[in-house]
Amino acid sequence: MKNNIRTLICTLTVLLCCIPAVFADEGTHHLVNQTLPLWSIIPFVGMLLSIAIIPLVKPDWWGKNMLLVALGWSLVFLVPFAIAYGLSEAWFRLLESVLLDYIPFIVLLFGLFAAAGGIAVKGTLAGTTRVNAALLFIGTILASWIGTTGAAMVMIRPLIRANEWRKYKVHIVVFFIFLVANIGGCLTPLGDPPLFMGFQRGVPFTWTFNLFPILVFNMILLFALFYFIDRHYYKKELAEGRYPIDELAEEVREPIRIEGLYNFIFIFMIIIGVVANGVLPKMIPAFADGAGIPVFDEIIFPYATLVEIIIILAASFLSLKMTKQSTRELNSFSHAPILEVAKLFIGIFITMIPALIFLKTHGAELGLNQPWQMFWAAGALSSFLDNTPTYLVFLQTAGALGATSGIATTVGTVAVPMLEAISAGAVFMGANTYIGNAPNFMVKSIAEENGIKMPSFFGYMGWSCAILIPTFIIDMLVFFL
C-alpha cells in the first residue's frame, strides 16, 4: 500500500508541475468563484459514495486502501482544476484547505483523542437501561464544556465495557453519536467548532445558552425513545439467558473509580489552546488582523492558530507520556480510529473545495430569509460537508439580510431567530451521517475495534432518518416557524 500511495503522490506532483503556472491573484480567485462548473463536485460525491459503498463490498480492501482512495479522488479534482485555472490557483486552494482547515481540525481531534483516551472508568458497570441512560446523560452534558470530541472519547469506552455482556447494542452507540457526539455540544462555543467560529466573529460567548430550551426539548424526546428501544432489547437479552453482572452475583462487583483523572488537565490545556486562538487576536496587537506566517500568495498561517496547535500537541505529548500503559490498555486504546479519520477527512476536505466555493459564491442567492429555511439548509449541508465552513457561509448570508436588531457580528447584524436556526442546524444535523461531525466516525471506529458491528453508511442514515429527522421536524414546528 505504501508503494501505491507513493506512486499516486508522485503522479500528482508530476502532473501538477507539468501544468503552466499562472500566478494566483484576486482576479483569478474571483474567476474561479464565478465560473467553476457544477460538475466539479463529482469527486466529492465519489468520495462520499466510496465511504458508503466500498466497505460493504470489499471491507478488507477498504481497510488497507482508504488513504489511496482519498488521495485518488483528490487527484481527480485537483488535476482538471489546475488545467483549467492554473497551477498556482490549484496550489492556493489546496494549501488554503489543508493548512488553514484540515491541519487545525485534525490536530484538535488528535489532542482530545489522546487525552481522553487516558481517562478510564474502572469498576463494574452493568449495561442496564438505567445505567446506559445515565452514561449518555453525563456525556451529553460534558459535550458543551469539553467538546463533542472530548466527551465522546471520555464516555464511549465505559459505555462499551458496560454493555460487553449484551448482544443487541448497536442502538446504544447510535444514540451515543446522536446525543454526545453532536446535540450535546450546542451550549457553548467550546462544544462544537461552528459555534466557536461564531464566537470569533462577534457572537457573545454566553449567547449559545439561548439554545438550552431546544437542547432540553430534544433530550426529552431522544431519551424517551432510547428508554423504550433499550428496554425492549434489554428484556430480549434476559429472555435469551444473558444477564448483567449485578444480577448474577453481588460479590463479583468492583467499585467504580476513575484512573487517569489528571488527563482532564490536558483536556483543559487543549480548551485553553482553542480559546487562545479566538482571544489572542483581540488582546495582543501582534496577533491581530490575521497576522501570521506568509505561506503562498494571500495565504497566511495565523500566529494564533500556531499557538493553538503548539498547546494541543504539548498536551497530547504529556498525556501519552504520563498516562500508565495499563490505563490505556483498560480502554483498549490504539491510534487506529484517529488514523482512519485522518485518512478519510483529508480526501473530504480537498474534494469539498468546489462545494464550499459554490456555497460562498451563491449562498446569498438561495432566497433563505426564514429561520426554518436556515435551520434545514445549514443542517442538510452540515450532514455531508464540514459543519464549520457551512455555518460560516450561512452566518454571512444571514448577516447580509439587513436585520436592524439582533446580534452584531463582524459579518453584519444577525436576527436572533436566524442565528439560533443556523447554530442548531449546523450542530444538531451533524448527527445525520457518519461524516457530519468527526467524532461520529471516531466513535464508529472505536465501537468496531471492540467487536460491535456498526451499521453501514446508509444503514446509519436509516437510523438518523427514522429518529432524528422527525425530531428536527418537531424542532422546526416548535422553535423556528
Side-chain angles (χ1 to χ4, degrees):
M1 178 183 172
K2 289 183 179 179
N3 290 333
N4 290 335
I5 294 172
R6 193 178 297 115
T7 301
L8 184 61
I9 294 173
C10 291
T11 303
L12 173 59
T13 303
V14 170
L15 286 173
L16 288 178
C17 290
C18 289
I19 298 166
V22 177
F23 287 105
D25 55 31
E26 191 171 337
T28 308
H29 302 331
H30 180 74
L31 178 65
V32 172
N33 294 344
Q34 297 301 320
T35 64
L36 191 66
L38 184 60
W39 52 261
S40 62
I41 68 170
I42 289 176
F44 178 64
V45 175
M47 184 72 205
L48 297 187
L49 289 176
S50 297
I51 295 171
I53 296 172
I54 298 178
L56 295 176
V57 180
K58 286 191 167 184
D60 293 336
W61 186 91
W62 173 252
K64 297 175 182 177
N65 295 281
M66 63 178 71
L67 179 58
L68 187 65
V69 172
L71 294 177
W73 283 117
S74 301
L75 179 67
V76 171
F77 160 68
L78 286 170
V79 170
F81 184 88
I83 293 173
Y85 297 102
L87 175 62
S88 292
E89 182 66 18
W91 187 237
F92 173 84
R93 299 289 180 171
L94 179 62
L95 287 176
E96 185 180 45
S97 179
V98 174
L99 279 183
L100 302 185
D101 293 328
Y102 175 75
I103 288 179
F105 162 84
I106 203 66
V107 167
L108 176 60
L109 289 185
F110 170 72
L112 290 169
F113 176 79
I119 301 170
V121 179
K122 201 171 183 179
T124 303
L125 277 172
T128 62
T129 297
R130 183 175 61 182
V131 169
N132 289 334
L135 292 173
L136 288 177
F137 180 80
I138 293 169
T140 305
I141 299 303
L142 280 176
S144 283
W145 305 99
I146 64 173
T148 52
T149 301
M153 294 304 99
V154 168
M155 299 303 300
I156 184 59
R157 292 179 177 92
L159 186 71
I160 289 174
R161 283 202 304 275
N163 290 278
E164 282 178 340
W165 66 279
R166 294 182 68 158
K167 177 181 177 182
Y168 308 105
K169 50 193 173 185
V170 168
H171 67 284
I172 302 171
V173 182
V174 168
F175 272 88
F176 184 92
I177 293 174
F178 291 169
L179 287 160
V180 181
N182 289 275
I183 291 174
C186 72
L187 281 189
T188 77
L190 302 175
D192 220 21
L195 303 182
F196 185 75
M197 291 298 105
F199 169 63
Q200 286 189 308
R201 282 154 182 77
V203 178
F205 189 91
T206 57
W207 177 87
T208 45
F209 290 165
N210 286 326
L211 299 177
F212 181 73
I214 311 176
L215 172 63
V216 172
F217 185 76
N218 284 346
M219 286 177 66
I220 291 172
L221 292 178
L222 292 176
F223 272 98
L225 191 56
F226 173 78
Y227 174 83
F228 288 111
I229 293 175
D230 193 62
R231 193 68 184 167
H232 164 76
Y233 282 116
Y234 180 77
K235 290 179 178 178
K236 197 171 181 180
E237 303 282 3
L238 299 182
E240 294 180 8
R242 288 179 292 274
Y243 298 92
I245 292 175
D246 67 342
E247 293 194 11
L248 286 175
E250 183 76 25
E251 60 271 15
V252 300
R253 291 191 192 181
E254 186 179 349
I256 303 296
R257 68 180 188 276
I258 301 177
E259 289 190 6
L261 268 174
Y262 48 82
N263 278 282
F264 278 108
I265 297 173
F266 305 131
I267 292 177
F268 185 66
M269 282 179 62
I270 293 169
I271 292 172
I272 290 175
V274 172
V275 172
N277 192 359
V279 172
L280 286 177
K282 300 175 182 178
M283 296 178 59
I284 302 176
F287 288 85
D289 301 320
I293 303 169
V295 178
F296 176 78
D297 194 27
E298 300 172 359
I299 297 176
I300 296 175
F301 197 79
Y303 292 133
T305 302
L306 184 60
V307 170
E308 175 190 357
I309 288 174
I310 291 171
I311 293 174
I312 291 173
L313 292 179
S316 307
F317 174 79
L318 291 171
S319 175
L320 292 170
K321 198 75 174 174
M322 295 177 62
T323 304
K324 292 187 297 185
Q325 188 62 31
S326 59
T327 302
R328 293 197 181 273
E329 287 174 357
L330 185 64
N331 276 336
S332 300
F333 180 87
S334 80
H335 288 92
I338 190 65
L339 289 174
E340 183 173 351
V341 170
K343 293 172 185 177
L344 293 181
F345 274 82
I346 186 63
I348 291 171
F349 268 76
I350 293 174
T351 57
M352 76 179 181
I353 290 172
L356 293 178
I357 291 174
F358 273 107
L359 276 178
K360 187 175 181 180
T361 305
H362 304 291
E365 303 168 10
L366 298 177
L368 304 175
N369 52 24
Q370 298 296 323
W372 70 269
Q373 295 173 326
M374 284 292 192
F375 176 64
W376 284 105
L381 289 170
S382 292
S383 300
F384 296 95
L385 301 175
D386 183 62
N387 57 5
T388 300
T390 302
Y391 170 93
L392 291 177
V393 166
F394 287 107
L395 181 69
Q396 188 169 1
T397 301
L401 294 177
T404 56
S405 62
I407 305 300
T409 73
T410 58
V411 298
T413 300
V414 181
V416 170
M418 297 293 273
L419 187 54
E420 288 179 350
I422 295 167
S423 301
V427 175
F428 293 171
M429 295 199 202
N432 285 340
T433 72
Y434 279 136
I435 65 169
N437 203 13
N440 304 0
F441 225 107
M442 294 173 73
V443 169
K444 172 183 179 290
S445 183
I446 291 172
E448 289 175 337
E449 265 197 326
N450 285 269
I452 300 175
K453 186 174 176 56
M454 291 296 292
S456 66
F457 185 88
F458 290 123
Y460 175 83
M461 286 185 64
W463 279 91
S464 65
C465 287
I467 294 171
L468 291 182
I469 298 303
T471 301
F472 298 147
I473 292 173
I474 297 171
D475 285 346
M476 176 187 69
L477 297 174
V478 174
F479 297 102
F480 301 122
L481 281 183

